[in-house]
Amino acid sequence: MNSGQAPGPDRLPGAVPGVYIDLPQLLALEHPARQLRWPPDMAPAHSLLGGRHRSRVRGRGLDFVELRPYLPGDDTRNIDWRASARSGKPQLRVYAEERERPTWLIVDQRIAMFFARRGALRSVVAAEAAAIWGWRALAGGDRVGGIVFGDDGIDQVTPRRGRRALLHLLSRLVARNQALRADSAPPGAPTQLDAALALLAKQAPREAIVAIFSAFDGLGPATRSRLLALSRHNDLVLLPVWEDPATLRPARIVVSDGQLQVPVDHAYAEVRARLATAAQTRMQDVLDLRAELGCAVLPLLTSAPTLVQLARGLDGRATVPRFPDVPGEHSTDHDR
């Protein structure tokens, strides 16, 4: 599915380190991605496992896990008739089994991601992390696909076995990444995150691994509701992309919504305080989803190598950026 028009190859600017990615860069991440350790002992709600590994998915394996209410679409062969008679409602026997699982990579490439003051742009970090995750899941035997969304459209690639689907997804990711411009015509679209999640809900109703790479611009009640619905029957992992507040320095920057531009001078304490508050609120909103949804959250910073951060996060050594006591220079939701 392609509900927007990404640029053709003749209009792509090519790779610019930290600013734009290209397909060869993402292909080069395959080998190092295969070396990542996929943790084998995480609980289902926090599982980062994919592929042919034992994980608690609903199927016809040998190890009984639990009883739960029957849901439309479940295999009727797993109904426990005795438990159903006792409760008066259909009850399903849930087993743990070894099986492949579809992995969905949801990658944000909106204009809100086209920003950073140190290191790589958010859009680049999200693209690299998604590629690394995809290559590692493919190595584990998963079917890999996903959704790439920009301000003006959404591209969907259905998870399939083998490299073809992932390569198609990475190609769409490169096209949307290289379409980003500070003076781009489409205005920012905060509701595109909700639109991408709504599309995902139709395609991945249960038993999938869903990894979302975004700065979560537009996060609101509707977003929480959609994430909660996804987390009930899928393994949900959020990978928010942020600037590290500890590394930022005073500067005069220009922020834009794609149409208007406003200079922001960090020399003023009041400006720094307001920006710090906005950034900290956004960060905390995303971190709160960990407890609210029972999902995993792996923060990614623009100032550190993406592969190293993912390796630490998957190994349980990820760190959450902390704001200094004195408000520093931080970005708002609309920094571009």
Side-chain angles (χ1 to χ4, degrees):
M1 169 184 169
N2 181 2
S3 58
Q5 295 297 323
D10 57 323
R11 291 158 54 196
L12 300 183
V16 179
V19 180
Y20 294 109
I21 49 94
D22 62 8
L23 191 57
Q25 285 180 322
L26 300 185
L27 295 177
L29 293 171
E30 179 178 7
H31 178 70
R34 288 175 176 269
Q35 311 306 312
L36 291 181
R37 172 181 175 270
W38 232 230
D41 54 356
M42 302 187 75
H46 300 273
S47 176
L48 304 183
L49 260 182
R52 303 182 190 280
H53 306 281
R54 184 164 300 278
S55 59
R56 296 190 178 187
V57 298
R58 292 156 177 79
R60 293 186 59 81
L62 298 178
D63 300 331
F64 174 73
V65 176
E66 63 179 350
L67 283 171
R68 67 158 172 80
Y70 172 84
L71 296 172
D74 285 333
D75 190 340
T76 55
R77 293 176 296 176
N78 287 340
I79 292 178
D80 187 315
W81 297 107
R82 292 184 179 179
S84 299
R86 288 194 300 268
S87 66
K89 295 181 180 179
Q91 298 293 312
L92 202 74
R93 294 181 67 84
V94 180
Y95 298 89
E97 67 170 333
E98 283 193 21
R99 57 171 290 183
E100 66 177 17
R101 302 180 67 185
T103 291
W104 285 84
L105 308 173
I106 315 304
V107 195
D108 190 345
Q109 292 292 294
R110 293 174 294 173
I111 192 64
M113 301 290 288
F114 196 63
F115 178 81
R117 278 168 293 183
R118 183 166 181 174
L121 298 185
R122 296 171 180 170
S123 51
V124 170
V125 173
E128 291 177 341
I132 293 168
W133 195 285
W135 288 122
R136 185 60 189 85
L138 193 66
D142 273 1
R143 289 176 285 133
V144 181
I147 292 173
V148 182
F149 63 100
D151 294 289
D152 60 345
I154 300 174
D155 301 319
Q156 175 194 316
V157 177
T158 302
R160 300 186 187 279
R161 296 178 182 85
R163 298 165 59 90
R164 181 175 297 181
L166 179 57
L167 291 175
H168 186 195
L169 180 69
L170 296 183
S171 296
R172 301 311 306 158
L173 177 52
V174 167
R176 289 216 171 265
N177 176 268
Q178 296 195 7
L180 292 171
R181 300 286 190 282
D183 58 351
S184 60
T191 58
Q192 279 292 80
L193 174 58
D194 290 340
L197 294 177
L199 176 61
L200 175 64
K202 297 177 182 178
Q203 304 298 322
R206 61 182 66 250
E207 299 177 14
I209 296 172
V210 177
I212 303 177
F213 307 82
S214 175
F216 291 90
D217 180 56
L219 177 65
T223 315
R224 283 181 163 84
S225 177
R226 296 188 186 281
L227 291 173
L228 179 59
L230 283 167
S231 68
R232 289 193 181 110
H233 305 296
N234 301 282
D235 280 354
L236 182 62
V237 186
L238 308 183
L239 296 99
V241 184
W242 294 318
E243 287 77 41
D244 186 348
T247 67
L248 301 179
R249 298 289 182 268
R252 181 181 175 86
I253 64 173
V254 176
V255 297
S256 172
D257 63 357
Q259 295 179 322
L260 302 177
Q261 294 185 343
V262 177
V264 177
D265 194 340
H266 286 179
Y268 297 99
E270 182 179 357
V271 171
R272 296 198 306 272
R274 289 185 177 181
L275 293 178
T277 299
Q280 189 168 20
T281 299
R282 165 58 56 82
M283 185 184 297
Q284 194 59 51
D285 284 346
V286 177
L287 292 175
D288 287 346
L289 292 174
R290 179 164 42 195
E292 186 177 342
L293 307 179
C295 65
V297 178
L298 275 66
L300 298 173
L301 303 178
T302 60
S303 56
T306 306
L307 182 65
V308 173
Q309 294 187 81
L310 269 181
R312 290 175 177 171
L314 294 171
D315 225 9
R317 294 179 287 122
T319 57
V320 176
R322 298 188 179 280
F323 285 80
D325 294 334
V326 178
E329 305 72 38
H330 310 290
S331 64
T332 67
D333 299 349
H334 303 291
D335 286 349
R336 305 289 194 259

